[in-house]
Amino acid sequence: MEITKREPLAGNLAQLLLFFSMLLDSSNAYLDYSYSITALCLLLAGGIILITGVKLDDKRSYYLVLIELFSIPVVYFTITFNPLFLLFYIPLFLGFKYGFKRVSLVLLFGIPLLFLPDKTFFGTDEIMIGYYSAYLFLHHLNPYNNTLTANVYQFYHINYAKYIFGTPYTTGGFVTNLDYPSLFFLIEIPSVVLKISPNYTILFFYLLTGLLMYFYTDNMTFLFFISIYLLNYNYLLYPLGGVDDIIWVFFVLLSFTVKDIRIKGLLYGFAISYKQDPLVVLPFYLMRLNGREDRLKFILYSALSFFLLNSYFILSSPVLFFQDILTPLNGGLLQIGYGIDLLSITNLYYLYPLFFIITPLLIIIIGILLNKVKWYGIVYFAFLFFYRVLWNYLIYWPFFSYIEPQNSINKKENNTKKGSFSREKKRDLSIIFIAIILISFLGIFFHFNYISYSNSIKIRLIKIFEGGNHIYGFLLNVTFVGKGEIKPLFRILLSSPTISANGLLWCSNSTSLRSGQSEIVYIYAPFEFLYVNVSENEIVEINAYYSDYQGFIQLRL
């Protein structure tokens, strides 16, 4: 029996593990370690599969795809209780006659229809800021002026939403500046003009990505892609909820499919004009191109595309523009996520923030030096070690296992002899071994040498304020033993599903503290939806923070 293509199969299985991981740990129950740590292990296993690949014959691969496809209707029925989703078994059974590649398009376009109209106008802070930026631009204002976007929550009368999907700074306040290049908001101009949710724009690119794979992949590769693309409902619910990464992913994938190096560069320029994330693809993309001339052309046309889209804002105010798009590099954001950062967030194993800068860079450098073919696995692992690891930072990298750049050097490697597989396997294992040794050393160094930062804010519980089976406040004795001066901020981490990945952001009457100073602090939930449900939580953890200084106290209810 013929062995099926290893890269698309690896992508499918990695996405399947990602789906299981999301099922276990997408509710922000940070302190439910049985789920969160298991989910982290699945994420690591998915990354290993992306890099090393797997072998499976065509017959078993076909069965895998069928299981995933026929699980789709019942999965959507389970999460929505809408029996109309079960009707999709009709086209699926017709797939045995007309081919599953064709009938899968019925599911691709039909399933989103049952979620419309989209009831979530803004699901994330970044899409809200992008939408507001488009509004400002249409009114002849510069959205890269931070003072203009600072009132975005007030403008849309959803000040409470910052406690749900806002991005907090560790020194107080929330992100309200644009942070991204111009295409990020220019693409939302039609939505602003039509006064519809920006999520419809993202949904459009979700559908375009499915069509792109349909036209540019062979039958089996497409089935590997579409079966898990539809099964993992987060790929659909994220666009409907304002998670927009599928847009830049589409532009990079589209650039892979064209042969003209100039168009490749232009499309990649669109991707980096939308977000900075695809910049990490650049070194691996260049290594896949043939010859120095192609690489230079690609860089030139990418830069041209980027400049044309952003030139107005760069020339109008270069300081404001670059200050804004470089903001993500400045750090200072509250740590959240589901990757390795989970260990530090919950104080299971504290890691100083610098670890989450050095380690991803190290992983990328290793991939570049070894000219790794499965670059998307390298990048996936790098993102897994970011300071903030949200699901959308991970779930799209396996897409690149289905399409390689046209005219890439990878075509030459398809003609290698079977014996080369063992050498490739050894190289894969050596990469993993070297990475484990170096990362382990960094993990030990940035834990033991900086452990004092995790206990710089001492917390002692004085009183719990509760009523109606809910906790709405704590009275604490807070002592600062670090250096300098802080004004401590507080959040609550739970063992039950939590409304925000930030945990519960609480307010307080804290004042400035210098080293060695203490004060009595009352912390409280500013809204009822931030109360702690006593019956649903066995453990809660109070996390005090300011800049790099932290403090934790865990309570059993």
Side-chain angles (χ1 to χ4, degrees):
M1 183 66 69
E2 184 181 350
I3 300 298
T4 196
K5 293 183 177 181
R6 294 175 62 227
E7 287 78 12
L9 173 60
N12 179 283
L13 291 176
Q15 287 175 270
L16 190 60
L17 290 179
L18 268 163
F19 180 41
F20 291 149
S21 182
M22 296 176 83
L23 289 174
L24 290 172
D25 195 30
S26 61
S27 61
N28 308 312
Y30 285 117
L31 302 183
D32 193 342
Y33 302 126
S34 61
Y35 287 100
S36 58
I37 299 302
T38 302
L40 179 56
C41 292
L42 290 175
L43 291 178
L44 290 167
I48 292 172
I49 287 175
L50 281 177
I51 291 177
T52 62
V54 289
K55 286 198 302 183
L56 201 64
D57 61 55
D58 286 349
K59 184 177 180 180
R60 289 184 174 86
S61 298
Y62 183 67
Y63 288 154
L64 171 66
V65 166
L66 285 184
I67 291 171
E68 291 176 351
L69 285 173
F70 278 84
S71 298
I72 291 167
V74 71
V75 166
Y76 282 91
F77 171 73
T78 301
I79 65 171
T80 64
F81 299 105
N82 185 347
L84 291 178
F85 283 104
L86 299 178
L87 294 177
F88 286 107
Y89 276 117
I90 296 174
L92 281 174
F93 278 109
L94 290 175
F96 287 106
K97 181 178 181 180
Y98 297 104
F100 288 102
K101 183 172 183 178
R102 287 184 184 178
V103 302
S104 64
L105 290 182
V106 178
L107 277 70
L108 176 66
F109 286 91
I111 290 174
L113 290 176
L114 297 181
F115 285 95
L116 300 180
D118 188 9
K119 298 178 182 179
T120 305
F121 201 90
F122 297 128
T124 62
D125 61 338
E126 67 176 29
I127 203 67
M128 177 184 66
I129 296 168
Y131 192 85
Y132 187 44
S133 297
Y135 171 85
L136 292 174
F137 179 68
L138 288 173
H139 287 77
H140 312 291
L141 297 172
N142 184 359
Y144 290 101
N145 186 336
N146 296 343
T147 59
L148 295 177
T149 57
N151 69 332
V152 60
Y153 285 99
Q154 291 79 11
F155 183 83
Y156 291 112
H157 307 291
I158 51 172
N159 200 46
Y160 68 90
K162 65 178 66 173
Y163 294 94
I164 301 175
F165 59 62
T167 303
Y169 289 110
T170 56
T171 52
F174 294 83
V175 172
T176 55
N177 55 307
L178 182 55
D179 281 0
Y180 300 116
S182 64
L183 189 59
F184 181 77
F185 68 87
L186 293 176
I187 210 168
E188 296 297 347
I189 287 178
S191 298
V192 175
V193 172
L194 295 173
K195 297 183 179 180
I196 61 174
S197 170
N199 300 343
Y200 289 107
T201 303
I202 312 172
L203 178 62
F204 177 69
F205 280 90
Y206 163 83
L207 297 173
L208 280 182
T209 302
L211 285 176
L212 178 69
M213 290 294 192
Y214 179 85
F215 288 112
Y216 286 97
T217 58
D218 60 65
N219 185 69
M220 196 63 201
T221 299
F222 178 74
L223 291 180
F224 277 134
F225 167 78
I226 200 67
S227 59
I228 193 63
Y229 192 53
L230 297 176
L231 179 63
N232 187 347
Y233 48 80
N234 294 290
Y235 285 121
L236 171 60
L237 297 186
Y238 273 21
L240 292 174
V243 180
D244 58 346
D245 295 78
I246 191 65
I247 296 177
W248 71 257
V249 170
F250 169 79
F251 283 124
V252 176
L253 287 171
L254 185 60
S255 76
F256 279 15
T257 64
V258 297
K259 293 183 179 180
D260 192 314
I261 197 68
R262 295 167 296 183
I263 299 177
K264 277 183 181 295
L266 291 173
L267 290 170
Y268 179 76
F270 288 168
I272 59 175
S273 292
Y274 188 80
K275 274 191 173 182
Q276 299 91 322
D277 297 30
L279 283 171
V280 75
V281 177
L282 183 59
F284 301 101
Y285 203 151
L286 293 175
M287 288 192 294
R288 308 259 52 80
L289 298 178
N290 285 313
R292 182 180 179 184
E293 184 179 346
D294 277 359
R295 294 184 181 112
L296 290 174
K297 280 185 180 179
F298 180 83
I299 293 173
L300 175 64
Y301 280 91
S302 297
L304 176 64
S305 177
F306 180 86
F307 182 76
L308 288 176
L309 285 168
N310 294 277
S311 59
Y312 173 79
F313 306 100
I314 294 173
L315 297 175
S316 298
S317 182
V319 174
L320 288 177
F321 178 82
F322 288 108
Q323 186 179 46
D324 222 19
I325 68 170
L326 294 175
T327 296
L329 298 178
N330 296 333
L333 301 179
L334 183 63
Q335 192 172 31
I336 62 173
Y338 315 100
I340 301 300
D341 59 328
L342 174 72
L343 303 177
S344 196
I345 292 168
T346 57
N347 203 35
L348 279 176
Y349 189 84
Y350 176 78
L351 291 163
Y352 188 68
L354 190 56
F355 170 85
F356 299 101
I357 297 175
I358 295 177
T359 304
L361 288 174
L362 175 64
I363 294 172
I364 294 294
I365 290 170
I366 289 174
I368 293 172
L369 291 177
L370 296 177
N371 193 13
K372 194 73 189 89
V373 174
K374 303 181 187 70
W375 60 271
Y376 43 82
I378 293 291
V379 177
Y380 171 93
F381 256 112
F383 272 74
L384 195 59
F385 283 85
F386 268 32
Y387 176 75
R388 290 163 54 92
V389 185
L390 300 179
W391 293 113
N392 51 300
Y393 295 2
L394 301 174
I395 62 175
Y396 296 106
W397 294 113
F399 285 21
F400 298 100
S401 66
Y402 303 107
I403 294 181
E404 269 290 323
Q406 289 287 319
N407 297 327
S408 73
I409 60 173
N410 216 33
K411 288 190 174 182
K412 298 177 182 179
E413 295 170 346
N414 291 335
N415 298 324
T416 54
K417 297 179 180 180
K418 292 183 179 179
S420 65
F421 173 74
S422 61
R423 293 193 297 273
E424 181 183 339
K425 189 81 169 180
K426 289 177 182 178
R427 184 179 63 179
D428 291 341
L429 292 175
S430 68
I431 293 171
I432 296 171
F433 178 75
I434 293 170
I436 289 173
I437 295 297
L438 293 175
I439 293 170
S440 297
F441 170 78
L442 290 172
I444 293 171
F445 178 82
F446 284 108
H447 173 72
F448 289 104
N449 284 37
Y450 295 88
I451 191 66
S452 61
Y453 281 88
S454 68
N455 199 28
S456 296
I457 306 174
K458 306 285 186 180
I459 307 171
R460 185 170 63 85
L461 178 66
I462 298 175
K463 185 178 180 180
I464 299 176
F465 295 88
E466 60 182 307
N469 200 41
H470 289 83
I471 296 173
Y472 58 86
F474 294 105
L475 192 64
L476 308 172
N477 184 304
V478 178
T479 304
F480 178 53
V481 295
K483 297 178 180 180
E485 184 177 350
I486 68 167
K487 185 180 180 182
L489 304 161
F490 300 87
R491 66 171 167 175
I492 311 298
L493 304 179
L494 304 179
S495 57
S496 68
T498 309
I499 194 170
S500 171
N502 293 318
L504 304 180
L505 298 173
W506 280 19
C507 299
S508 76
N509 64 346
S510 65
T511 60
S512 295
L513 290 175
R514 294 183 179 276
S515 183
Q517 290 184 336
S518 300
E519 68 175 343
I520 305 299
V521 177
Y522 174 58
I523 68 172
Y524 59 93
F527 299 96
E528 286 190 15
F529 62 80
L530 297 174
Y531 287 2
V532 176
N533 190 314
V534 176
S535 61
E536 294 179 358
N537 290 275
E538 295 182 2
I539 305 172
V540 300
E541 189 168 69
I542 303 172
N543 174 209
Y545 61 91
Y546 187 88
S547 186
D548 292 335
Y549 296 112
Q550 303 240 24
F552 298 87
I553 180 172
Q554 199 168 95
L555 309 173
R556 290 197 169 271
L557 303 181

